[in-house]
Structure formats: structure tokens, C-alpha cells
Amino acid sequence: MLLKMPLEKNYIEPADLVLVTQGDQMGQIGSTNTYRILKVE
């Protein structure tokens, strides 16, 4: 589960929205290709 550690450390809580980004080219600024908004359950 992607959000397990942040939940355990109380950085986030159920019903929060979290933005997850992904870039295909590592180390290159401005290369975000994908993002998702996840609701914490």
C-alpha cells in the first residue's frame, strides 16, 4: 500500500486527498508525466 507509512506516522488521515506524481525521466526537472489524486481510506 502506497500510503501505509504516511498513515502510520500520522502525516495523513482517512478522507485526506493526496497528490502522487510520477516522471519518466529521473533527475530531470519539469518532467512530470503523470499525476493521480488519491483519497485516503
Side-chain angles (χ1 to χ4, degrees), residues 5-7 12 15 17-19 21-22 25-26 29 31 33 35 38-41:
M5 188 275 300
L7 270 169
I12 58 175
L17 296 176
V18 178
L19 178 65
T21 62
Q22 173 188 340
Q25 298 177 0
M26 295 292 289
I29 296 173
S31 65
N33 297 327
Y35 67 91
L38 304 177
K39 185 172 183 180
V40 180
E41 296 181 355

Side-chain angles (χ1 to χ4, degrees), residues 5-13 16:
M5 188 275 300
L7 270 169
E8 290 173 350
K9 294 192 177 263
N10 296 318
Y11 295 147
I12 58 175
E13 55 188 48
D16 282 354

